[in-house]
């Protein structure tokens, strides 16, 4: 217990971004602003955030299997950073089905769904459509409703068949309302 623990830190040379290049599939991403740029310091969290930004930009264009690799040499004080994008095939929605044992409530029907036949398949759109459909059922009194998305891709991943399976559960109706504990106002209020 009487021992001291000492860390000796040798930082080495400071690395700065010397250049930035985007290589890979011919997808126009030139308008996307990256935080990795010369002569900023080379930082892992910034590289990771930029790679995620590039991947999401590809996904928004319908490339469901997009991935981005980052190459930054460790031993170069003025590193040339390369983002290598692999877009993969562009995926379109081939069909969209809503399977439910009860009709979608008309008074609470969700606005037009984002996914429909012929549009690019995007995970963000699928999540939003699921949330909108779930909200419609819950607002109609199906408090235990569940919506499970299922996506089936073609062999070449150029088409996606999307199914939203709804399990509504029992519908809850208000039987009566009890107002209690009024001390500073009248029940009619």
């Amino acid at each position: 217990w009487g021992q001291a623990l000492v860390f000796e830190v040798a930082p080495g040379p400071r690395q700065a971004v010397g250049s930035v290049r985007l290589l890979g599939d011919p997808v126009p991403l030139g308008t996307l602003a990256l935080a990795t740029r010369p002569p900023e310091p080379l930082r892992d969290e910034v590289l990771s955030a930029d790679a995620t930004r590039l991947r999401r930009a590809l996904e928004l264009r319908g490339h469901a299997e997009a991935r981005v690799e980052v190459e930054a040499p460790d031993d170069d004080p003025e590193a040339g950073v390369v983002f290598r994008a692999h877009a993969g095939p562009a995926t379109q929605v081939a069909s969209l089905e809503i399977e439910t044992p009860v009709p979608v409530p008309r008074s609470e029907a969700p606005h037009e769904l984002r996914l429909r036949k012929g549009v690019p398949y995007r995970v963000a759109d699928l999540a939003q459509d699921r949330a909108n459909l779930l909200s419609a059922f819950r607002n109609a009194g199906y408090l235990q409703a569940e919506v499970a998305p299922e996506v089936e891709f073609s062999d070449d991943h150029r088409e996606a068949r999307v199914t939203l399976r709804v399990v509504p559960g029992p519908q809850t109706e208000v039987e009566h309302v009890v107002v209690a504990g009024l001390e500073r106002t009248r029940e009619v209020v």
Side-chain angles (χ1 to χ4, degrees), residues 39-61:
E40 296 292 322
L42 185 63
R43 297 176 30 210
D44 288 340
E45 63 269 13
V46 175
L47 292 173
S48 179
D50 281 344
T52 300
R53 191 175 293 119
L54 289 167
R55 182 180 49 79
R56 286 188 180 150
L58 290 169
E59 288 173 351
L60 286 174
R61 288 177 170 86

Side-chain angles (χ1 to χ4, degrees), residues 29-43:
L29 294 172
T31 60
L32 195 64
L34 299 178
T36 304
R37 57 182 166 265
E40 296 292 322
L42 185 63
R43 297 176 30 210

Side-chain angles (χ1 to χ4, degrees), residues 2 6 8 22 26 33 48 67 78 109 120 147 161 163 167 174-175:
V6 177
E8 292 184 21
L22 178 61
S48 179
R67 66 190 202 314
E78 298 230 350
V147 178
R161 287 175 293 288
T163 304
V167 179
V174 177
E175 182 179 298

Side-chain angles (χ1 to χ4, degrees), residues 60-62 90-96 112-122 125-126 129 158-160 162:
L60 286 174
R61 288 177 170 86
T91 307
Q92 284 194 335
V93 177
S95 65
L96 173 66
E112 184 176 319
L113 298 176
R114 294 178 180 204
L115 291 179
R116 57 189 172 279
K117 185 176 181 175
V119 302
Y121 170 76
R122 299 179 185 106
D125 290 346
L126 176 62
D129 287 350
R158 295 193 183 280
E159 291 185 335
V162 180

Side-chain angles (χ1 to χ4, degrees), residues 116-140:
R116 57 189 172 279
K117 185 176 181 175
V119 302
Y121 170 76
R122 299 179 185 106
V123 174
D125 290 346
L126 176 62
Q128 186 63 53
D129 287 350
R130 178 194 171 276
N132 289 344
L133 194 57
L134 185 60
S135 178
F137 272 89
R138 288 189 176 162
N139 287 341

Side-chain angles (χ1 to χ4, degrees), residues 71-158:
E71 299 171 10
D74 292 337
D75 55 354
D76 184 0
E78 298 230 350
V81 177
V82 177
F83 291 95
R84 200 171 296 278
H86 305 279
T91 307
Q92 284 194 335
V93 177
S95 65
L96 173 66
E97 293 182 36
I98 299 174
E99 290 186 4
T100 174
V102 297
V104 176
R106 287 189 176 265
S107 62
E108 300 295 338
H111 301 295
E112 184 176 319
L113 298 176
R114 294 178 180 204
L115 291 179
R116 57 189 172 279
K117 185 176 181 175
V119 302
Y121 170 76
R122 299 179 185 106
V123 174
D125 290 346
L126 176 62
Q128 186 63 53
D129 287 350
R130 178 194 171 276
N132 289 344
L133 194 57
L134 185 60
S135 178
F137 272 89
R138 288 189 176 162
N139 287 341
Y142 294 95
L143 304 180
Q144 298 172 7
E146 295 179 12
V147 178
E150 295 178 8
V151 181
E152 186 179 321
F153 292 100
S154 62
D155 291 339
D156 60 0
H157 282 255
R158 295 193 183 280

